[in-house]
């Protein structure tokens, strides 16, 4: 089963569906993984009902961080901003579907941290965001 998830991770790393930028995005935030300096920017466009109609990321990172960002953004299309505030660490781990070391966990959770800071419209991200 792990092999299937690994293939999915590699596919999203090589051919991400949500890599790019959104002009005039409604929500945006950028932050880095303090352990490696890799950084990620996430931009969202929402409709009048505050539901996500487009989501993009840009930046650089390892296969786990890029795949997690792509899988996460794919999973939030059509969700409300309130739904995004309720996302947790478990949601990312379920999307990735593999066991991760503590260092790799930081990679996996970077996009969730950035996304949450964007939707809470924070100036600074906080690791506690991903537990919420
Ligand atoms: Fe930098 Fe994974 S090694 S985000």
């Amino acid at each position: 089963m792990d092999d299937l998830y690994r293939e999915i991770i590699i596919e999203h790393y090589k051919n991400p569906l949500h890599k790019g930028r959104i002009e005039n995005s409604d929500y945006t935030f950028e932050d880095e993984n303090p352990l490696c300096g890799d950084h990620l920017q996430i931009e969202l466009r929402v409709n009048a009902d505050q539901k996500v109609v487009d989501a993009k990321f840009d930046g650089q990172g390892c296969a786990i961080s890029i795949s997690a960002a792509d899988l996460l953004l794919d999973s939030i299309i059509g969700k409300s901003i309130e739904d995004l505030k309720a996302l947790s660490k478990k949601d990312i781990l379920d999307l990735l579907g593999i066991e991760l070391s503590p260092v790799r966990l930081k990679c996996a959770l970077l996009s969730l941290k950035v996304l949450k800071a964007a939707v809470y419209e924070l100036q600074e991200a906080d690791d506690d965001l991903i537990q919420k």
Side-chain angles (χ1 to χ4, degrees):
M1 194 54 152
D2 255 24
D3 284 352
L4 174 63
Y5 281 109
R6 279 176 213 285
E7 269 179 42
I8 292 170
I9 288 167
I10 290 167
E11 182 55 29
H12 280 268
Y13 175 60
K14 286 187 176 164
N15 301 302
L17 303 168
H18 295 276
K19 188 150 192 326
R21 306 293 299 263
I22 297 175
E23 250 184 65
N24 301 320
S25 56
D26 297 300
Y27 294 90
T28 183
F29 196 77
E30 182 171 9
D31 202 4
E32 65 175 26
N33 180 343
L35 298 181
C36 63
D38 286 338
H39 63 93
L40 216 55
Q41 171 162 2
I42 287 181
E43 294 174 318
L44 304 179
R45 162 107 13 119
V46 296
N47 64 14
D49 296 329
Q50 289 289 296
K51 293 206 167 151
V52 178
V53 291
D54 198 8
K56 297 269 191 245
F57 74 91
D58 205 1
Q60 63 182 57
C62 61
I64 295 287
S65 68
I66 297 297
S67 300
D70 204 46
L71 285 160
L72 176 64
L73 296 190
D74 209 39
S75 76
I76 64 168
I77 301 295
K79 289 194 172 167
S80 70
I81 292 300
E82 288 309 308
D83 290 337
L84 305 193
K85 289 180 178 174
L87 288 170
S88 70
K89 184 169 149 180
K90 182 180 180 305
D91 294 307
I92 287 278
L93 297 180
D94 286 350
L95 286 169
L96 288 169
I98 56 167
E99 290 286 321
L100 295 168
S101 68
V103 170
R104 286 301 182 188
L105 195 56
K106 282 267 188 200
C107 303
L109 295 176
L110 177 60
S111 54
L112 181 60
K113 190 167 83 164
V114 173
L115 177 68
K116 286 240 183 171
V119 296
Y120 277 103
E121 300 183 275
L122 300 180
Q123 302 303 312
E124 261 179 53
D126 182 329
D127 275 351
D128 288 347
L129 279 176
I130 51 187
Q131 306 300 338
K132 286 181 184 169

